Amino acid sequence: MAKTAPDEDKQPETAAEEEAEKQAHESEELEIPALDAELGEKLREELGDERLIEMYETMVLIRRFEEQAGRAYQMGKIKGFCHLYIGQEAVAMGSIGALEERDYVVAAYREHGQALARGLDPDAVMAELFGKVDGVSKGKGGSMHLFDTDKNFYGGWGIVGGQIPTATGVAFAAKYRDEEAVCLCYMGDGTVPQGAFHESLNMASTWDLPVVYIIENNRYGMGTAVERISAETDMFKKADGYAMEGVLVEDGQDVFKVYDAIKTAAERGRKENRPTLVEIRTYRYRGHSMSDPATYRTKEEVEREQRKDPIQRFTRWLVENELKTEDELKEIDARCKQRAKDAVKFADKADFPPASALTEDVYVDWPWEIE
Amino acid sequence: MRTIAYREALNEAMVEEMERDEDVFLLGEEVAEYNGAYKVSQGMLDKFGPKRVIDTPIAELGFAGLGIGAAMVGLKPIVEMMTFNFAVLALDQVINTAAKMRYMSGGQLSCPVVVRGAGGAGGALGAQHSQSLEAQYAHVPGLKVMMPSTPYDAKGMLKTAIRDPDPVIFIEGEILYGLQGEVPEEEYTIPMGKGDIKREGADCTLIAWSRMVHVCKQAADKLADEGIDVEVVDLRSLRPFDKDLLRESIKKTNRAVIVEEGWPWVSVGGAVADWIARDLFDWLDAPVGRVHQRDVPMPYAFNLEDASLPGTEQVIEAVKKAAYVA
């Protein structure tokens, strides 16, 4: 599809006009867009106030946890790569919130938020980032490899796209065993041009597998804008090529919209064994990783996107609908800040793995005699 | 004892394991309706149906990854690679996922997947279809690598591979599929990491696996005519490999020659030679000899293919050199 050039007639001609337009633009956008009121009402009925507040609290926890992780990284307590999730909280909570316990989650490398949304212990997640033995993967996984089989949480993949075929296999197993469970597979927009994406979606649709592929489109694969690497930037449309349902959540900063889309897709998986491709447009506030100053985007762009902040909008909705007062929500925030700090304390105090762990868990400890 | 072909032995192993364990299933290109490119899966679709014998698209990365994902949550997939030349496309899944899932999850996960198929040179198949790539896999901690040389071994080893809780790379000799051999009717398995003495001898130990075991046996027969008594050790499993068996044999013969179908540089043969030189230095009466494919991609021309692959002549020469009779 050919890209059209910006319409030159619409460019402002003088500096004054430019300034006026900028101001008009800003005042128009200063307004924080509301969450979808109708959906909010529907979900309030479906989930109840308490659950919605829980979801809110988890989103705040993710934000505060990531802020602490960022600080710990700067202090050298977290090493390697550390990809923060700040800005995308509505995606993790909206999608995982729509799951049942028996469902599976497979994530990529920016998965702290998804891990917390799935209910992994923040202490154990932070300890993993610190490389400590009390981490979810006993300190041997790190930021990109969080696993908790008790929560059916698989991933962390450090290889772009590597999780897509594997998640498809998890869904295959769920169907093979008639579990009526679905597998959520997260990926970034940078994954879509990969062969692994194509091969997997093709098999999932051909073989009727219960998987929901979520493209978290935050517009940049590392530092490269999506339109520079993908011929089709409406990524949900790729579903057509696999005779699969394709869904766009244009406002992925609205937790209700994400929840609603994934709920439907997950049910399609569980009930009909049909896969769905869901593109969720979102935005990451920080760079690709802690080592990325993100100079490839303008300050204006980041500020503009932050006005759609998923947590601020949820805050306003909760207050306006009288589920909580502003003071009560501040208490929640304080609690989450403390929780994140406690996780850092826990991780700080935990031990590094013993030297003996170096050679453990390469192979299964299993007698050579065959049963 | 009855005699069956290598491919039938493999087929029996899969059938018996699938009858025994519902979590075992087979997927790969042409494994179902076509009955297998090399007919290893002959009749399996009829027996087990399309739920458990699955034709895949030609997409090695995708279906290998699918098998590995299914294994992560407890199934026991057999992923057939039509040939290991194509398995290169799936290396990301095998190396980056299957091999290290257990380690980087802190022991929570394992991947009991078997990736199996044909390896080595066929007959004038050219450079992209005639490769011995076992070193790629044997290099990676987390993977186990098996390469049977006889129908008996093929059946017993594949059953072990399927029951193993770790990812196993199981490379079959493309040229061996038709090889006939004795295979008992009753159930048996061959333990992981156990080598086998295919011919006893006192003067030199020939170490090989897969097709090269047969080349070594032929060479040993010819050498016997000249009064040189050669022992042929079949490693069978390249990772883990049977150090005890090698120690015993080399302590007896004091000479070793490694024969491999693959390339020489950074190879399994190189690693085994290194281990022997260090572990058994005091027992050696000669440097460890090595016979291998020429260090070039496989040519198509029939005469050049023969010239590239190791044969009995080179093996005989190497043994004589080790025995200082050349």
Side-chain angles (χ1 to χ4, degrees):
Chain A
M1 199 183 295
K3 299 281 183 306
T4 47
D7 190 344
E8 292 195 6
D9 293 345
K10 285 192 183 157
Q11 296 296 313
E13 281 178 13
T14 67
E17 268 180 71
E18 197 172 342
E19 186 55 32
E21 185 170 304
K22 200 175 152 198
Q23 277 178 9
H25 201 54
E26 273 177 7
S27 61
E28 179 193 318
E29 282 202 345
L30 270 175
E31 192 64 26
I32 301 173
L35 297 184
D36 190 309
E38 215 175 294
L39 264 182
E41 204 44 52
K42 187 182 136 198
L43 295 191
R44 194 174 175 181
E45 242 168 68
E46 185 183 322
L47 296 170
D49 290 2
E50 215 168 294
R51 177 66 186 138
L52 284 179
I53 292 159
E54 257 175 40
M55 286 168 69
Y56 172 81
E57 180 154 354
T58 303
M59 284 168 61
V60 177
L61 175 66
I62 295 171
R63 174 78 50 102
R64 298 308 183 198
F65 181 97
E66 292 291 65
E67 286 167 356
Q68 288 298 326
R71 262 175 226 135
Y73 188 92
Q74 279 160 345
M75 291 165 77
K77 292 179 177 185
I78 297 172
K79 298 187 182 184
F81 292 125
C82 183
H83 312 90
L84 299 182
Y85 200 68
I86 296 174
Q88 302 182 204
E89 296 88 348
V91 182
M93 193 63 251
S95 52
I96 288 172
L99 290 190
E100 294 173 11
E101 250 178 59
R102 62 188 157 162
D103 295 327
Y104 300 89
V105 178
V106 172
Y109 53 77
R110 193 183 305 285
E111 88 282 33
H112 310 166
Q114 291 135 356
L116 294 173
R118 188 56 174 167
L120 272 68
D121 176 20
D123 288 347
V125 175
M126 192 65 85
E128 189 58 41
L129 306 189
F130 279 50
K132 299 296 182 72
V133 71
D134 293 321
V136 287
S137 305
K138 294 190 189 159
K140 284 159 83 176
S143 166
M144 297 189 289
H145 307 300
L146 306 175
F147 295 91
D148 189 338
T149 51
D150 288 343
K151 305 266 183 206
N152 277 357
F153 189 84
Y154 297 89
W157 256 256
I159 307 293
V160 169
Q163 79 280 21
I164 314 175
T166 324
T168 309
V170 170
F172 176 93
K175 183 185 172 187
Y176 190 94
R177 293 190 293 231
D178 298 320
E179 290 175 359
E180 283 181 38
V182 74
C183 179
L184 279 198
C185 173
Y186 292 93
M187 67 191 86
D189 42 273
T191 309
V192 176
Q194 270 227 355
F197 174 90
H198 165 67
E199 293 180 28
S200 304
L201 270 69
N202 181 60
M203 286 189 293
S205 184
T206 308
W207 297 345
D208 295 316
L209 301 181
V211 56
V212 179
Y213 299 106
I214 297 180
I215 303 169
E216 286 190 75
N217 184 353
N218 62 22
R219 285 200 239 157
Y220 296 91
M222 205 170 156
T224 303
V226 82
E227 59 274 11
R228 295 174 58 211
I229 49 92
S230 187
E232 173 56 87
T233 51
D234 282 343
M235 293 179 160
F236 70 100
K237 289 182 183 166
K238 300 249 177 197
D240 288 351
Y242 308 105
M244 182 190 293
E245 199 70 34
V247 176
L248 173 66
V249 180
E250 199 158 11
D251 185 0
Q253 307 303 74
D254 180 337
V255 66
F256 300 151
K257 287 193 169 152
V258 176
Y259 177 93
D260 192 52
I262 301 303
K263 178 98 181 163
T264 309
E267 273 168 17
R268 183 178 296 123
R270 282 188 223 103
K271 290 186 181 148
E272 301 166 38
N273 281 321
R274 285 299 296 163
T276 309
L277 175 66
V278 186
E279 177 185 354
I280 303 176
R281 303 227 169 115
T282 180
Y283 202 77
R284 70 167 142 79
Y285 292 0
R286 305 288 183 91
H288 163 70
S289 72
M290 284 299 293
S291 58
D292 169 22
T295 49
Y296 42 85
R297 10 180 243 196
T298 60
K299 201 173 150 224
E300 289 75 27
E301 178 185 310
V302 177
E303 279 173 3
R304 190 170 68 238
E305 290 301 327
Q306 288 185 349
R307 285 188 199 121
K308 289 185 271 183
D309 186 82
I311 294 175
Q312 279 185 41
R313 291 163 74 191
F314 204 174
T315 305
R316 208 174 69 177
W317 185 88
L318 289 168
V319 173
E320 281 176 359
N321 288 276
E322 296 177 344
L323 276 78
K324 286 279 176 195
T325 66
E326 273 184 46
D327 284 343
E328 286 169 330
L329 294 178
K330 275 180 192 154
E331 273 172 35
I332 288 181
D333 186 45
R335 195 156 67 224
C336 289
K337 263 186 196 156
Q338 193 54 48
R339 187 72 195 84
K341 283 183 185 165
D342 288 347
V344 169
K345 263 187 225 153
F346 174 87
D348 245 337
K349 279 190 192 149
D351 291 324
F352 282 108
S356 61
L358 178 66
T359 51
E360 281 168 11
D361 294 327
V362 177
Y363 299 106
V364 176
D365 187 13
W366 188 70
W368 289 118
E369 295 84 53
I370 306 285
E371 76 249 33
Chain B
M1 201 186 294
R2 71 183 175 139
T3 294
I4 61 172
Y6 187 87
R7 65 159 59 83
E8 292 171 273
L10 294 164
N11 179 286
E12 281 190 4
M14 290 196 287
V15 168
E16 287 177 20
E17 291 308 297
M18 281 177 67
E19 280 169 347
R20 185 181 158 272
D21 184 349
E22 278 200 2
D23 287 340
V24 181
F25 66 98
L26 172 70
L27 80 167
E29 293 151 3
E30 309 289 4
V31 298
E33 293 191 15
Y34 191 81
N35 282 306
Y38 293 95
K39 303 298 169 211
V40 175
S41 58
Q42 182 93 45
M44 288 178 67
L45 174 64
D46 288 345
K47 207 164 264 157
F48 298 105
K51 184 192 173 188
R52 298 181 69 196
V53 181
I54 303 157
D55 279 327
T56 65
I58 304 172
E60 284 80 5
L61 170 71
F63 71 73
L66 186 146
I68 289 160
M72 273 170 57
V73 292
L75 294 187
K76 305 196 99 191
I78 305 168
V79 177
E80 177 171 315
M81 291 292 168
M82 196 182 285
T83 94
F84 266 88
N85 301 288
F86 309 158
V88 172
L89 287 153
L91 273 183
D92 168 55
Q93 287 296 321
V94 172
I95 294 177
N96 281 319
T97 298
K100 47 203 54 137
M101 201 42 74
R102 182 167 176 78
Y103 197 78
M104 70 187 189
S105 69
Q108 293 180 76
L109 289 165
S110 55
C111 282
V113 63
V114 176
V115 180
R116 53 153 288 271
L125 298 177
Q128 292 184 337
H129 280 72
S130 302
Q131 306 180 84
S132 297
L133 298 171
E134 55 266 32
Q136 282 185 326
Y137 302 100
H139 182 62
V140 182
L143 301 179
K144 293 170 180 169
V145 184
M146 297 176 109
M147 293 181 74
S149 68
T150 65
Y152 177 87
D153 288 357
K155 182 170 177 186
M157 286 165 67
L158 184 53
K159 285 171 79 85
T160 298
I162 293 167
R163 294 184 200 184
D164 195 280
D166 293 309
V168 179
I169 306 300
F170 195 93
I171 306 178
E172 297 149 14
E174 178 162 340
I175 224 93
L176 301 177
Y177 279 128
L179 181 77
Q180 299 283 322
E182 288 189 339
V183 175
E185 306 259 8
E186 60 270 20
E187 156 95 7
Y188 69 97
T189 57
I190 293 169
M192 178 71 66
K194 270 275 179 229
D196 186 38
I197 295 175
K198 287 286 191 282
R199 184 190 195 283
E200 298 221 13
D203 297 336
C204 179
T205 300
L206 277 174
I207 300 155
W209 52 95
S210 193
R211 179 190 186 180
M212 286 301 126
V213 170
H214 303 282
V215 171
C216 287
K217 279 169 72 183
Q218 283 162 18
D221 287 345
K222 287 186 182 169
L223 284 159
D225 296 340
E226 297 182 45
I228 300 173
D229 184 21
V230 172
E231 178 145 302
V232 178
V233 171
D234 181 356
L235 279 186
R236 297 202 291 203
S237 163
L238 304 183
R239 186 184 182 113
F241 81 96
D242 196 340
K243 293 175 178 169
D244 292 339
L245 187 70
L246 285 193
R247 271 194 202 104
E248 272 172 49
S249 179
I250 292 168
K251 282 180 182 177
K252 180 170 67 174
T253 64
N254 310 112
R255 295 166 205 280
V257 173
I258 302 157
V259 184
E260 66 185 317
E261 192 175 334
W263 295 306
W265 193 242
V266 200
S267 68
V268 174
V272 173
D274 172 76
W275 178 81
I276 293 170
R278 289 162 193 279
D279 198 76
L280 294 160
F281 182 77
D282 290 342
W283 295 88
L284 289 173
D285 285 344
V288 179
R290 288 185 59 197
V291 180
H292 44 75
Q293 199 202 137
R294 295 290 291 279
D295 203 12
V296 294
M298 186 64 78
Y300 166 71
F302 318 153
N303 63 325
L304 292 184
E305 184 184 69
D306 280 348
S308 184
L309 284 168
T312 49
E313 270 175 46
Q314 289 98 326
V315 176
I316 289 167
E317 193 187 320
V319 171
K320 286 183 174 172
K321 199 172 158 195
Y324 298 116
V325 294

